[in-house]
Amino acid sequence: MKKKIKLSNFIIENDSDRLTFISGPCLLENDKMVYKVASKLSSLSKKYKFNLIFKCSFDKANRSSHKSKRSQMSFNAAMDILKTIKKDFKLSVTTDVHETSQISKLIEYIDVIQIPAFLSRQTDLIIAAADTQKIINVKKGQFLAPWDMVNVTKKIADSGNNNILVTERGASFGYNTLVSDMRSLPIMAKNGYPVIFDATHSVQQPGGLGETSGGQREFVEYLARAAVAVGVAGVFIETHQDPDNAPSDGPNMVPLDKLEKLLSQLFEIDNLI
């Protein structure tokens, strides 16, 4: 059975005539940077009439090295910024969680709880997130087959929560490389829950730069167009004003000033199919 997930004033579903975008910078660096990105995304959502969930991580626990940037500010300061973004732009907000202890602190600030790909089989974390009755977006682990996500979503559903999104972000292919198998999108959609395609993490090169991950952002547009052509409920795209100098995931983020061109292409494809 196809699931419809209601969030704020819009519906997320695989056969919707309106795409949902989950977008924002990888890491919450400072209020000025985040506010600028949110303002641009809000403006684009009104212009192109798409559903928008603003994404920004307050902490990045899954890093290549202990020297890598994790967070730029205290938890309370980060939550204050997300709360302001949510209020000023009237946006739904998501961030990822890494530990069960974080969940109770986060739920009053965010609308969607994101489970990182590396933690997609962490049962305690998933069930604790499910118990909030919030929408849970689980990223498929790079080490999982698309049909394995049935077990992941069942953990959430059996906890009494059917507010589930599943995100494809590529599969491990040799060393430091991911590959996107577009067959995974309709395979996961058979489970009924809305499928999101993560176009920026799918071009990541995990650990590819030694102490940090690399990425090939020049391929984001190709994978995003292919996913929309196959058919998805939404697309996940991280963006930044100056990705080459971003503290996290810069090599695979789309420059903010180039995002509109990509979005317009995706809408043309979506309208066509």
Side-chain angles (χ1 to χ4, degrees):
M1 179 184 294
K2 296 178 181 178
K3 309 292 195 306
K4 294 183 179 182
I5 307 301
K6 189 177 190 311
L7 175 59
S8 184
N9 60 342
F10 58 84
I11 300 292
I12 307 172
E13 60 178 323
N14 287 324
D15 294 331
S16 175
D17 58 358
R18 189 167 182 172
L19 281 173
T20 295
F21 282 88
I22 302 176
S23 189
C26 177
L27 182 64
L28 204 167
E29 299 170 37
N30 58 68
D31 55 355
K32 184 178 179 181
M33 181 277 288
V34 173
Y35 207 88
K36 182 176 180 179
V37 175
S39 178
K40 179 66 173 181
L41 289 171
S42 178
S43 176
L44 290 174
S45 71
K46 292 179 174 66
K47 180 177 180 178
Y48 291 99
K49 295 181 173 56
F50 61 84
N51 303 327
L52 175 61
I53 301 172
F54 183 76
K55 181 270 167 185
C56 195
S57 298
F58 70 93
D59 180 25
K60 302 296 293 184
N62 300 320
R63 312 312 294 154
S64 298
S65 166
H66 69 285
K67 298 178 183 178
S68 300
K69 293 283 187 181
R70 282 192 54 172
S71 60
Q72 301 288 86
M73 62 190 71
S74 69
F75 176 85
N76 289 337
M79 292 305 106
D80 283 344
I81 293 174
L82 291 182
K83 185 177 180 179
T84 300
I85 294 294
K86 181 178 171 67
K87 178 182 177 182
D88 289 359
F89 296 103
K90 296 180 173 56
L91 294 177
S92 297
V93 172
T94 185
T95 192
D96 36 14
V97 298
H98 305 91
E99 302 173 5
T100 56
S101 61
Q102 295 175 339
I103 293 173
S104 61
K105 301 175 185 177
L106 278 170
I107 55 175
E108 66 176 292
Y109 301 101
I110 63 174
D111 304 281
V112 179
I113 297 174
Q114 181 171 288
I115 305 295
F118 281 123
L119 301 176
S120 59
R121 289 187 60 174
Q122 294 293 331
T123 302
D124 290 345
L125 181 66
I126 288 174
I127 291 177
D131 287 343
T132 67
Q133 294 303 307
K134 291 277 188 179
I135 296 172
I136 313 299
N137 178 27
V138 186
K139 290 197 170 186
K140 179 179 74 63
Q142 303 93 319
F143 44 85
L144 294 178
W147 44 85
D148 291 335
M149 288 301 286
V150 171
N151 293 324
V152 177
T153 56
K154 197 170 188 302
K155 290 178 184 178
I156 302 172
D158 285 353
S159 299
N161 187 344
N162 280 294
N163 297 311
I164 305 168
L165 307 175
V166 292
T167 294
E168 168 61 59
R169 56 144 302 164
S172 296
F173 185 75
Y175 299 123
N176 305 122
T177 305
L178 299 174
V179 63
S180 293
D181 181 357
M182 293 300 160
R183 296 175 302 175
S184 69
L185 302 176
I187 290 172
M188 289 198 295
K190 288 180 180 178
N191 198 17
Y193 298 105
V195 175
I196 309 295
F197 180 72
D198 185 341
T200 45
H201 287 99
S202 290
V203 300
Q204 188 184 62
Q205 295 172 312
L209 298 180
E211 291 189 346
T212 60
S213 291
Q216 296 175 301
R217 78 167 70 100
E218 66 270 23
F219 294 121
V220 169
E221 60 181 291
Y222 299 103
L223 294 183
R225 292 199 300 253
V228 172
V230 170
V232 287
V235 182
F236 181 110
I237 299 177
E238 286 188 337
T239 184
H240 192 282
Q241 298 99 314
D242 184 15
D244 288 333
N245 290 300
S248 176
D249 279 356
N252 45 267
M253 281 195 284
V254 175
L256 187 61
D257 61 1
K258 294 183 178 180
L259 184 61
E260 182 171 3
K261 180 181 178 182
L262 172 56
L263 293 180
S264 65
Q265 294 174 347
L266 299 183
F267 291 122
E268 286 184 25
I269 295 170
D270 189 52
N271 290 334
L272 179 65
I273 65 168

